[in-house]
Amino acid sequence: MRKLTTPFIGLSAGMLLVAPWIINAAPYESTMGLVQKVFYFHFPSAILFLVSSIICGVHSFRFLFMKRQSADAWALSAAELGLLFGALTLVTGPLWARKAWGVWWVWDPRLTSSLLLFLIFASYLMLRKYGGPGSERLAAGMALFGMLNVPFIYVSVNVWRTLHPMTSVVPTLPTDMGIPLWFCFAAFTMLFLALLTLRATLELQRARVEALYLAEDEA
Amino acid sequence: MMRLLRVYALFVALVAVTPAALLAQPQPPKEFVPVDDIPPGEQIPAINMVAAAYGFVWVAVLGYVWSIASRLKQVEAELTELESRKR
């Protein structure tokens, strides 16, 4: 599985290098102009931020209720990626908003719940690092709450109309804008899968190192 | 008693000052102001925002890839050493 990660990272890096030219060729959005081009990186980051939370939640469920030890490694990896993609979303979004809306931030349901999910990931990782023995079970419980937040984040823009565009924007994009968007989305998804696999490999190797140290102590 | 009087005096002062403070606030525009009509000093070039957004994405992703690679290298070196000690 790990052998696949290097070509995946290489391919996604190549696609992300080509992306600025493809994005540059896309037409300008009529009201926002150039700044709308932040969208091509903002949208894939935001979707993968939510996907990380689902992966983290599902593996935490497997760890808590099915006693799968390896699931904990995948949950931790997804949480770390959630923090990374959450940071990308929460930084690129305000940079776009400052020009398009005139403000860096508004406390609307979409932005506030996304920030909350980011803080849940940050708390999860801090709990894992400083919580001591047993913290993995507490963190897994927290990840389940994080996953429950995902549907709320997704539908919030449709339920409460605010400055943030609705979910209907992406399916109705013209082809000229859709091609660069899905190109960037494919590149980000490959990168995400490769990084998730690498990070889980790291965690599984750490578990092996710990087991070997324990075996040495017992011998 | 004196303390109560002081609190009461503070409350009266706050109530008296509030309308004056509200009147001193600059009035918000009553109608839509097109972006092009904003004074040049208040406009931010879009290219700065786009460059900052793309730059941040690249730096964050490369930083994370480097972090995973170095941690993985360290753990694999430790694992190799432990396994060789075991043999």
Side-chain angles (χ1 to χ4, degrees), chain A residues 126-135 138:
Chain A
M126 284 179 78
L127 192 56
R128 293 299 299 256
K129 193 165 172 62
Y130 304 109
S135 62
L138 277 174

Side-chain angles (χ1 to χ4, degrees), chain B residues 48-81:
Chain B
N48 291 3
M49 296 306 193
V50 176
Y54 282 64
F56 179 77
V57 169
W58 270 101
V59 169
V61 168
L62 287 177
Y64 188 68
V65 169
W66 175 82
S67 151
I68 288 191
S70 60
R71 282 185 285 173
L72 201 56
K73 203 174 159 187
Q74 198 181 340
V75 168
E76 282 181 347
E78 209 175 341
L79 194 63
T80 313
E81 194 200 317

Side-chain angles (χ1 to χ4, degrees), chain A residues 83-178:
Chain A
L83 197 75
L84 172 73
F85 283 92
L88 299 185
T89 310
L90 293 172
V91 169
T92 55
L95 285 167
W96 180 10
R98 180 65 185 87
K99 184 71 185 170
W101 300 345
V103 287
W104 295 103
W105 186 267
V106 285
W107 291 101
D108 84 343
R110 166 62 68 93
L111 276 72
T112 310
S113 53
S114 298
L115 178 65
L116 184 69
L117 184 61
F118 179 78
L119 293 175
I120 288 174
F121 278 131
S123 315
Y124 177 99
L125 292 171
M126 284 179 78
L127 192 56
R128 293 299 299 256
K129 193 165 172 62
Y130 304 109
S135 62
E136 63 275 10
R137 295 182 68 79
L138 277 174
M142 189 185 272
L144 292 179
F145 281 104
M147 186 172 66
L148 291 179
N149 199 14
V150 172
F152 175 78
I153 295 175
Y154 188 76
V155 300
S156 59
V157 280
N158 300 335
V159 177
W160 295 278
R161 282 308 304 125
T162 60
L163 286 167
H164 198 284
M166 291 169 75
T167 53
S168 57
V169 168
V170 173
T172 55
L173 272 182
T175 316
D176 292 351
M177 288 180 168

Side-chain angles (χ1 to χ4, degrees), chain A residues 42-110:
Chain A
H42 176 75
F43 172 77
S45 309
I47 292 292
L48 292 169
F49 175 40
L50 301 184
V51 168
S52 311
S53 183
I54 294 170
I55 294 174
C56 184
V58 167
H59 285 292
S60 295
F61 182 87
R62 289 179 65 225
F63 172 66
L64 275 180
F65 301 107
M66 298 175 186
K67 313 286 179 206
R68 300 277 170 87
Q69 283 300 316
S70 63
D72 184 47
W74 287 95
L76 178 59
S77 312
E80 216 174 89
L81 283 172
L83 197 75
L84 172 73
F85 283 92
L88 299 185
T89 310
L90 293 172
V91 169
T92 55
L95 285 167
W96 180 10
R98 180 65 185 87
K99 184 71 185 170
W101 300 345
V103 287
W104 295 103
W105 186 267
V106 285
W107 291 101
D108 84 343
R110 166 62 68 93

